[in-house]
Amino acid sequence: RVGASDELAKGQSTFMVEMTETANIVNNATNRSLVILDEVGRGTSTYDGLSLAWAITEHIANKIACRTLFATHYHELTSLADILSNVKNCNVAVREWNDEVVFLHKILPGGTDKSYGIHVAKLAGLPPAIISRSREILADLESTFEKEVQDEQLSKNKTVSEEGLLFVQRNKSVLERVKSIDVNNLTPLEAINLLNEIKKEIE
């Protein structure tokens, strides 16, 4: 499944054609098939597309188990190689020099976390003003995303901290009791009875 095409006369958008062709592949492929997929999921919103690409990759790896080449710019998919033993990452070698990129036409093992879409657009001849503005917007988007991730992590840490503090406040007497226990001199029966009492007090 390579390339974008639509069937507007039949009421099928580019993405519908993409999904129809992908469905045909996963419904009919066997473990003796060779499957080639290029940028599956890119025709819709980022999260929808990523979710579909992830699930399709898992299905092919776990259920069909055929030899597959899956080209994608979803960097998140590279983590599947850590989860599924029959998934391996490769990347196209690129060198950056003086704000330019040189494509080395080599395939190397391992994933990548960087794309060169703006560089390709520059090579294609888009005006410098558009390239420059694209870089500004990309920097803003990346910093916004990074801030959102940090804020989310801080929020989670704060929630965990508040829950822990609340637990301590509610069960102060139990914690004090546990602190004062001489565990070396408890018999197994005493330990079971004590644990039962603490459980009842917490509940």
Side-chain angles (χ1 to χ4, degrees):
R1 204 286 145 182
V2 179
S5 59
D6 59 54
E7 291 283 354
L8 293 182
K10 296 179 181 178
Q12 291 194 324
S13 66
T14 302
F15 186 63
M16 176 58 83
V17 172
E18 177 186 324
M19 288 296 99
T20 301
E21 292 179 357
T22 304
N24 184 40
I25 290 170
V26 297
N27 288 327
N28 293 292
T30 70
N31 61 357
R32 294 173 60 83
S33 299
L34 170 63
V35 172
I36 300 174
L37 298 169
D38 179 49
E39 298 292 0
V40 168
R42 298 291 288 191
T44 186
S45 71
T46 301
Y47 290 128
D48 278 2
L50 174 57
S51 302
L52 284 163
W54 187 291
I56 289 165
T57 305
E58 278 186 342
H59 181 83
I60 293 172
N62 293 329
K63 304 293 184 185
I64 302 174
C66 64
R67 194 172 294 272
T68 303
L69 298 175
F70 195 137
T72 183
H73 278 91
Y74 287 131
H75 303 137
E76 296 84 353
L77 289 183
T78 59
S79 60
L80 278 169
D82 300 324
I83 302 168
L84 302 172
S85 60
N86 57 345
V87 173
K88 305 295 178 190
N89 289 321
C90 291
N91 69 89
V92 180
V94 173
R95 290 291 177 269
E96 296 185 48
W97 182 74
N98 285 349
D99 202 30
E100 300 288 338
V101 294
V102 179
F103 295 94
L104 303 182
H105 305 286
K106 289 182 181 178
I107 304 296
L108 302 177
T112 182
D113 60 356
K114 193 168 184 181
S115 297
Y116 295 95
I118 294 177
H119 291 87
V120 172
K122 182 180 178 183
L123 288 172
L126 276 180
I130 292 177
I131 299 301
S132 176
R133 181 63 181 139
S134 296
R135 286 180 174 145
E136 289 174 6
I137 294 169
L138 178 62
D140 286 343
L141 289 172
E142 286 177 339
S143 64
T144 300
F145 176 75
E146 188 177 342
K147 185 177 184 302
E148 285 175 354
V149 170
Q150 289 174 348
D151 289 347
E152 187 178 343
Q153 191 58 49
L154 283 171
S155 177
K156 282 181 183 175
N157 292 343
K158 185 180 177 185
T159 301
V160 170
S161 177
E162 287 173 351
E163 286 174 354
L165 189 60
L166 194 60
F167 178 83
V168 170
Q169 289 171 343
R170 281 181 180 168
N171 302 285
K172 197 170 181 182
S173 61
V174 172
L175 294 172
E176 289 296 331
R177 189 174 178 186
V178 170
K179 240 170 116 181
S180 64
I181 294 170
D182 184 0
V183 292
N184 294 320
N185 292 317
L186 274 181
T187 66
L189 183 59
E190 287 173 335
I192 290 170
N193 289 335
L194 181 62
L195 190 59
N196 193 41
E197 289 171 14
I198 289 172
K199 183 173 179 287
K200 285 179 180 175
E201 191 170 336
I202 290 175
E203 288 173 346

